Amino acid sequence: MIVKCTFMKSQKMSKEDETSCGGSAPCPGALELYGRAVSSGAVTDREPPACLRAIGLLQRSSDDPMMWVPVAPATAETIATHQMELDLAMLRSAIATTRATYAAAESTYIRTRETQEAPQALLQGEKVINAVLEREIAKCAATLLTVQPGGGRPESVLREALKRDEAALRRGVSQCTLYQNTVRGHVPTLNYIKRVIQCGAEVRTLDELVDRLIVCDDRVAFIPASEIRRDAALEIRDPIIIRYLVAGFGKAWERAAPINTEHQTRWAPKVTSHLQKKIIHMVITGHTDTSIAGRLGVSPRTVAEHVRKVSALLGSRSRAELGFLVARSGWLDRTPS
């Protein structure tokens, strides 16, 4: 195996030297000549091996140009590596300077981020969540987007929401709220909706909504932190995530139907029929009564009652049979009456 000589690359060799040496470490013949020079103090050679000259182990005598004197390997090494050591010291200095520059920038970065609000924060407990919501909605100056799934809301919750929302609307905030269709038959929620619409809010409904959402001025958003716990929320200030949430809201808003609190009695039968079809569709696609209730904003008992009515209509004795009978009858394809 031929070992390339890295020292030779740092020396300026002639083309003849490169050819005769082949760019390799000293060969056995060259080392034998070097040994004779060390033994006798000098050797006479018109052209000693280029590799010995290239790495500085033989130097021409100043007294006799035909004589070549040996140089101790440690001395030759020192001479050969001197410039490398200088270059390495300069490189290390440049690395240290660069690191110091970035260290100063890192300190500024950390100090600045510490003064900013965290991009996400977990809020636990209804009192904590309500306090933060009141604070952020009070700061709201332009837009307030809310998604309220789960059907009708408790009257106590609606009273608290009404205070916040009316104050924001009086300040000129543009409020858009999405509910599920089932609120059209819930009197307390309808009363709340009527009040905020009178103050300038827009309210629409859909069959199904993904989850609760509140966005203030595209600046801060709140989403549930857990599917199980109702007293945990995530406060989000990351502009990329907020932009994503707002875009999703916009798509749902385009599909939703505006609500008119003055004419809900004429709309209710259509909601019931359409809701029944949604429930049956979700049943035959494998959803449980509990998951259907949560997604459509009704109680599990209501889901079971609708399933019972359709089963009786089609003569089904089990949910497995119900799926077959629904598919065969084309019942889901009919336009709601």
Side-chain angles (χ1 to χ4, degrees), residues 198-269:
Q198 289 173 345
C199 292
E202 292 185 70
V203 181
R204 296 185 181 184
T205 66
L206 273 175
D207 286 337
E208 186 178 350
L209 295 173
V210 177
D211 220 329
R212 199 171 307 277
L213 170 68
I214 297 175
V215 183
C216 300
D217 288 339
D218 294 350
R219 172 181 51 82
V220 58
F222 300 90
I223 62 174
S226 171
E227 293 183 359
I228 302 173
R229 294 182 54 189
R230 303 287 296 177
D231 62 344
L234 190 64
E235 178 184 358
I236 300 172
R237 295 184 180 276
D238 188 309
I240 296 174
I241 299 177
I242 292 176
R243 184 165 61 249
Y244 176 83
L245 294 172
V246 170
F249 179 94
K251 292 178 180 178
W253 183 260
E254 291 175 0
R255 302 195 314 271
I259 191 167
N260 185 339
T261 56
E262 302 298 330
H263 303 90
Q264 289 313 299
T265 55
R266 293 203 301 269
W267 209 86

Side-chain angles (χ1 to χ4, degrees), residues 2 4 8 13 16-25 50-51:
I2 297 177
K4 295 294 182 180
M8 293 169 58
M13 297 176 61
E16 293 77 8
D17 287 343
E18 290 181 0
T19 303
S20 61
C21 178
S24 62
C51 56

